[in-house]
Structures are given as structure tokens and as C-alpha cells.
């Protein structure tokens, strides 16, 4: 272009997406574009897999929550990339192929990282920055007009990859000591070599090194389904406070019921722990299954954080006053097969929809005069409606009739053993009734005198053991 190009009335040309000059750059061919997008897709897919594989056994609550979010973000971007690749005259799509053996070793190594420190370093100081640089490179190199659908998708991905990177940098600064960082140096170098052998994440650099030999991933990966918690969960077998019996007793006023609902929400931390085990141990499903189930997993993590925010809003120290247990995820993950776990989840979530379920919780929150509790229950309910649909889409379809699917869920749930008394006998918990402490702490903030009847509440999950269906149920 030698002469300046003029649009009519000086209006922005090209729908405002770029300048005339930018639209004239040679950019990437369809083949090169697809080659890069497939590598980004592989990275998102494997990152998703790593977050899912590690979140149940990761003790630190904040990291568990972040892994839930980041798994969801990666699943969403992988989904968008799959769709874009499919648009680019490519059948067979080859989306399940490994783009380069060096990349396979890279992700396998990080999935197998022996401790949280190395896991964080591998994910957030190695892969995520490489992915960010790769996506930035695509935006820099491609023709913004010809490849606009990819540009749009890359811009959106970049936004969230940058958020992941920022979170990771802060988490590493706080949770990984200088000594641990140094001890991981050699392994981090191995990860760099993996990337270099693959020509970078996007494959555009010259490959000068061979793919290194495996270290942590030399043995086949073994998934750990046993949930772990940090020090703010000091009594994880405690089943002393039956939230449901209190919540559905009309004799109790709505305000203290918001505490039980915050507790129920925070306890939902066990749903991501359980759902991650289903995802990690159910290979071979269509990609949409992993995407949908991970969306639900993230919702459940959000619900847990809503409970956390609820307690924080009341200046209640939940680590001290609320004994959040992990008995549900522990029992399901260690006693049931993945499809049986899904059956239990479906069965419980079915039961949340009738009159006594989510609507009741929302109405109770409204009646309590706590706008925050009402807001959280409103969204909790809306999310559970999506979850019921995800259950219909992915669990129900395994059965010829809906009735059989529900019955199977009931059966699976009934065979789960909750060893209330055995846990006490083994000294795992005293099932201490922590409710009076929680209620007193909230009353202090509310500046009210504790109601003696509410304060005296002491129904545990032991007395309703006769019917397992009434047991503490998450979801
Ligand atoms: Fe929920
Ligand atoms: Fe839930
Ligand atoms: Fe749910």
C-alpha cells in the first residue's frame, strides 16, 4: 500500500478490528493456525486433567478452590478451541493426538509432582506462562481479519490465562519456600527442556534439544482419591451437628438457620473432592462430559466459598467454631465405583428440587433478614437446577428408565457405610457438639442474647442413622 487508504467519512474501516495495514500482513496459513491451536488445546486439556487429578488430595483449602476454578477455565477454553479447530476444514480433527512427545512428558511430570510446591511451580511458573506466551504469539502473528474467529477466542483465553498466572505467582510467593524452590531447580530445568524439545508450547521455535528422560512420571501415575484438608479442618470426622434437622424444624427461628446454611454451603467443599474422583477415574467419555461435570464441580466450590464468606461476614472464625467434615467425600471416594458415586450425586440432587429443598432454603434466608444469605441461596438454587440437568444429560442416559436411575442411586447411597460410632471408638473424633459455640459467636456479632432453645440444639447425625438417606448429604 503506497497511498493512504481512506474510508467513507473517516469511519473506522474493517469493522474496527484492526488497521488496513495490519489486515495486510501475511499472518498464519490455516494449517499453521490449526497447528498452534491444537497445541493450546492440548495444554488446556492436560492442565484441566492435572487440576482435577490433584485437587482431592490437596490439603490447602485455597488451593483446592483455585484448582476447581482453573480446571473449569481450562475445560471451557479447551471446548472453544475444539470448536474452532473443527471449523477449519480439518476432519479428522486429531484433537486427541499428542502434538509432541516432549509435551506429553512435560504434563505427565507435573501431574506426578510429589508435593504441592513442585506442583505449583510446574503449573504456574512453567506451563501457564508458556501458554500465555503462546497465545500472545498467535495474536501477534496471525492475520486479524482472516483469522478473526481465532483472534477472538485467543483474546478471551488470554484474559483468563493471565489471571491464572497472577494467582499462581502469588501462591508460589506465599506457599513455596526459597529452599523448596531451589530444591526443585533441576526438575524445573527438565521441564524447560521438555518445552524446548517441542519447539516451545506452540511449536514454532527451533528444536535443539532431545526430549529429556522422565523423572517423577517414570512410574505410571497413581490417582489419590482420599480427600485431605488443612489445619482449619481439625475434626474432619465430626458429625455432631445435624444441619438438616435444625433447618426443617419450624420451631426454630430463621436467623440461626442462616448459620446452618452457611455451614451446609461450606461443607460443599466435599463435592469437588468427590466429583474430581469421578472425572479422574472415568476415562473415554465425550469431551462435553468433562466440560459439563467440571462446570458443576466449580459451582460446588463456589458454594463452599459462599459459606466461607457468610461466616466471614459475621466475624465468625469457622476454623474454630465450625467442624467441617469430609466424611461424605471420603466414604464415596473409597467405598464406591465412579458410576456409583455419580448415582449418589444424582439421587441427592434430585431430592434438592422439591418443595423442601432449595426453595425452602432460599425462603428461609429471605425470612431471616440476611440479604447475603438470601443472595447465596438464590444462586445456590439456580446452580442446582443446572446440576440436575447435567445429571439428566450424563447419568440418566445410562439407564432405560428414569425410575431405575433413581433407584440405583438410592441403592448406592444406602450401601455407603458411615461409621459414626466406630470413628469415636477409634479416637478419630469425639463428635463434639460445636453448635453452641458457633451460635454464641454469631449472637455476639448480632448483638442479641442467645435463645436458650436454639442454644440447646444437640441433634447429631447418629440418631438419624436408621435411614441413610437422612444422613448428611452434600451437593
Ligand atoms: Fe450448593
Ligand atoms: Fe451442591
Ligand atoms: Fe450441585
Amino acid at each position: 500500500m503506497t497511498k493512504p487508504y481512506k474510508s467513507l467519512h473517516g469511519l473506522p474501516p474493517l469493522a474496527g478490528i484492526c488497521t488496513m495495514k495490519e489486515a495486510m500482513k501475511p499472518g498464519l496459513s490455516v494449517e499453521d493456525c490449526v497447528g498452534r491451536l491444537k497445541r493450546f488445546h492440548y495444554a488446556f486439556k492436560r492442565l484441566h486433567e492435572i487440576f482435577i487429578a490433584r485437587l482431592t488430595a490437596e490439603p490447602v483449602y485455597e488451593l483446592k478452590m483455585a484448582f476447581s476454578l482453573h480446571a473449569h477455565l481450562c475445560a471451557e477454553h479447551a471446548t472453544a478451541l475444539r470448536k474452532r479447530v473443527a471449523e477449519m476444514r480439518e476432519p479428522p480433527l486429531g484433537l486427541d493426538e499428542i502434538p509432541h512427545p516432549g509435551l506429553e512428558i512435560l504434563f505427565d511430570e507435573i501431574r506426578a509432582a510429589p508435593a504441592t510446591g513442585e506442583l505449583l511451580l510446574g503449573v504456574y511458573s512453567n506451563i501457564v506462562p508458556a501458554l500465555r506466551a503462546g497465545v500472545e504469539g498467535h495474536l501477534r502473528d496471525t492475520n486479524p481479519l482472516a483469522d478473526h474467529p481465532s483472534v477472538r477466542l485467543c483474546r478471551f483465553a488470554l484474559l483468563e490465562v493471565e489471571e491464572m498466572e497472577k494467582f499462581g505467582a502469588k501462591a508460589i510467593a506465599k506457599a513455596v519456600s526459597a529452599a523448596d524452590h531451589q530444591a526443585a531447580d533441576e526438575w524445573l530445568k527438565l521441564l524447560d527442556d521438555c518445552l524446548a524439545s517441542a519447539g516451545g508450547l506452540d511449536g514454532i521455535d527451533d528444536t535443539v534439544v532431545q526430549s529429556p528422560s522422565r523423572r517423577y512420571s517414570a512410574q505410571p501415575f497413581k490417582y489419590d482419591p482420599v480427600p485431605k484438608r488443612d489445619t482449619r479442618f481439625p475434626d474432619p470426622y465430626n458429625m455432631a451437628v445435624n444441619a438438616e434437622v435444625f433447618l426443617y424444624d419450624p420451631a426454630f427461628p430463621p436467623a440461626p438457620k442462616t448459620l446452618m446454611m452457611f455451614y451446609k454451603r461450606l461443607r460443599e467443599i466435599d463435592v469437588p473432592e468427590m466429583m474430581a474422583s469421578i472425572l479422574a477415574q472415568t476415562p473415554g467419555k465425550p469431551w462435553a462430559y468433562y466440560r459439563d461435570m467440571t462446570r458443576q464441580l466449580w459451582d460446588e466450590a463456589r458454594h463452599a466459598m459462599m459459606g466461607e464468606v457468610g461466616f466471614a461476614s459475621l466475624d465468625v472464625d469457622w476454623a474454630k467454631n465450625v467442624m467441617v467434615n469430609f466424611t461424605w467425600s471420603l466414604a464415596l471416594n473409597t467405598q464406591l465405583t465412579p458410576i456409583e458415586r455419580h448415582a449418589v450425586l444424582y439421587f441427592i440432587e434430585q431430592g434438592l428440587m422439591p418443595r423442601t429443598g432449595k426453595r425452602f432454603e432460599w425462603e428461609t434466608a429471605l425470612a431471616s433478614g440476611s440479604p447475603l444469605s438470601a443472595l447465596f441461596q438464590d444462586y445456590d438454587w439456580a446452580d442446582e437446577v443446572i446440576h440436575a440437568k447435567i445429571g439428566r444429560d450424563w447419568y440418566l442416559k445410562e439407564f432405560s428408565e428414569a425410575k431405575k436411575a433413581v433407584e440405583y442411586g438410592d441403592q448406592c447411597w444406602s450401601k455407603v457405610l458411615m461409621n459414626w460410632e466406630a470413628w469415636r471408638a477409634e479416637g478419630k473424633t469425639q463428635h463434639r457438639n460445636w453448635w453452641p459455640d458457633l451460635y454464641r459467636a454469631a449472637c455476639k456479632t448480632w448483638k442479641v442474647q442467645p435463645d436458650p432453645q436454639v442454644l440447646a440444639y444437640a441433634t447429631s447425625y447418629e440418631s438419624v442413622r436408621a435411614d441413610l438417606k437422612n444422613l448428611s448429604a452434600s451437593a
Side-chain angles (χ1 to χ4, degrees):
M1 188 169 70
T2 49
K3 284 188 266 172
Y5 182 84
K6 280 204 185 96
S7 60
L8 186 66
H9 306 316
L11 285 165
L14 305 173
I17 59 175
C18 60
T19 65
M20 198 54 69
K21 195 158 172 244
E22 284 161 343
M24 288 175 193
K25 77 172 171 189
L28 305 171
S29 67
V30 167
E31 192 186 347
D32 289 345
C33 172
V34 169
R36 291 197 197 186
L37 296 186
K38 276 187 181 172
R39 280 180 170 229
F40 304 153
H41 165 262
Y42 182 72
F44 279 121
K45 195 175 81 167
R46 294 295 316 264
L47 273 174
H48 167 266
E49 181 199 9
I50 291 169
F51 290 127
I52 292 295
R54 298 296 296 255
L55 82 85
T56 303
E58 169 52 55
V60 177
Y61 166 79
E62 280 79 4
L63 296 179
K64 217 186 266 287
M65 297 295 102
F67 290 0
S68 300
L69 169 62
H70 295 171
H72 163 62
L73 299 181
C74 290
E76 294 297 321
H77 292 297
T79 305
L81 283 159
R82 292 176 84 88
K83 187 164 162 274
R84 177 63 181 145
V85 169
E87 291 168 359
M88 299 178 83
R89 49 161 207 268
E90 260 265 327
L93 303 176
L95 283 162
D96 295 315
E97 281 160 26
I98 297 155
H100 189 280
L103 292 182
E104 184 180 35
I105 298 172
L106 172 72
F107 288 99
D108 287 355
E109 279 293 309
I110 295 171
R111 184 180 57 177
T116 301
E118 281 148 311
L119 178 66
L120 294 178
L121 289 167
V123 168
Y124 296 110
S125 79
N126 185 287
I127 294 181
V128 171
L131 181 56
R132 194 243 312 131
V135 175
E136 281 172 348
H138 194 98
L139 288 170
R140 184 187 58 230
D141 296 344
T142 203
N143 183 295
L145 179 64
D147 190 23
H148 183 261
S150 307
V151 167
R152 188 171 166 267
L153 187 153
C154 284
R155 286 169 62 202
F156 186 27
L158 191 58
L159 198 74
E160 297 192 326
V161 170
E162 281 173 350
E163 280 176 16
M164 286 167 59
E165 194 178 359
K166 271 187 207 151
F167 171 89
K170 286 184 193 161
I172 288 168
K174 296 288 180 192
V176 184
S177 70
D180 283 352
H181 202 145
Q182 212 180 356
D185 252 9
E186 223 178 286
W187 179 65
L188 292 171
K189 169 83 176 53
L190 184 153
L191 301 184
D192 287 341
D193 289 347
C194 288
L195 265 178
S197 75
L201 187 72
D202 52 12
I204 62 167
D205 299 338
D206 294 333
T207 54
V208 286
V209 283
Q210 293 278 308
S211 297
S213 334
R214 293 170 179 270
R215 184 187 292 181
Y216 298 141
S217 67
Q219 303 296 322
F221 177 68
K222 211 174 161 293
Y223 171 70
D224 182 359
V226 179
K228 290 183 190 62
R229 300 278 176 88
D230 65 41
T231 52
R232 292 162 299 173
F233 301 82
D235 196 358
Y237 291 88
N238 185 313
M239 294 188 74
V241 180
N242 190 313
E244 291 76 18
V245 168
F246 185 88
L247 195 57
Y248 293 115
D249 188 338
F252 293 120
K257 286 183 179 176
T258 61
L259 301 176
M260 284 302 193
M261 288 190 282
F262 288 149
Y263 164 54
K264 274 167 67 73
R265 297 290 72 80
L266 184 50
R267 196 178 58 190
E268 285 188 77
I269 180 178
D270 60 8
V271 191
E273 288 171 342
M274 192 285 281
M275 289 193 76
S277 79
I278 299 180
L279 287 164
Q281 296 181 316
T282 308
K285 289 277 189 184
W287 173 253
Y289 167 88
Y290 301 101
R291 183 256 160 209
D292 288 352
M293 292 283 281
T294 307
R295 162 62 203 269
Q296 175 172 350
L297 183 152
W298 164 236
D299 292 346
E300 309 289 3
R302 271 168 48 238
H303 297 174
M305 290 186 281
M306 295 192 303
E308 179 192 10
V309 172
F311 286 127
S313 75
L314 296 171
D315 292 324
V316 166
D317 181 353
W318 59 266
K320 215 176 93 208
N321 290 315
V322 186
M323 295 302 110
V324 181
N325 58 50
F326 66 5
T327 48
W328 188 78
S329 52
L330 178 70
L332 265 65
N333 287 12
T334 55
Q335 296 175 30
L336 299 183
T337 64
I339 185 68
E340 289 173 334
R341 284 171 228 152
H342 203 164
V344 172
L345 184 69
Y346 181 76
F347 177 72
I348 292 173
E349 294 200 314
Q350 278 281 305
L352 298 176
M353 287 306 118
R355 177 83 200 139
T356 50
K358 288 290 154 190
R359 173 186 283 277
F360 175 80
E361 290 189 348
W362 175 63
E363 285 172 350
T364 303
L366 279 177
S368 78
S370 162
L372 188 64
S373 179
L375 179 83
F376 286 165
Q377 290 309 139
D378 203 5
Y379 279 84
D380 183 74
W381 180 15
D383 290 338
E384 295 305 344
V385 175
I386 305 177
H387 303 170
K389 183 182 182 302
I390 293 173
R392 287 195 299 278
D393 287 348
W394 294 111
Y395 167 73
L396 208 60
K397 279 191 189 148
E398 308 270 324
F399 295 83
S400 54
E401 296 167 54
K403 203 168 142 260
K404 282 189 185 147
V406 177
E407 278 168 10
Y408 183 64
D410 193 358
Q411 273 167 30
C412 295
W413 186 211
S414 300
K415 79 176 187 186
V416 174
L417 222 64
M418 294 283 199
N419 293 318
W420 205 94
E421 192 44 53
W423 290 332
R424 181 150 69 181
E426 290 162 17
K428 284 182 169 146
T429 181
Q430 294 305 309
H431 295 296
R432 177 177 70 83
N433 180 11
W434 44 267
W435 167 254
D437 289 348
L438 167 62
Y439 178 52
R440 269 195 217 98
C443 285
K444 225 175 125 193
T445 302
W446 288 329
K447 297 193 172 65
V448 297
Q449 281 301 313
D451 171 340
Q453 198 205 343
V454 172
L455 196 62
Y457 182 70
T459 305
S460 79
Y461 285 103
E462 187 192 22
S463 48
V464 287
R465 273 223 57 187
D467 184 354
L468 275 168
K469 277 173 262 180
N470 292 335
L471 260 179
S472 126
S474 269

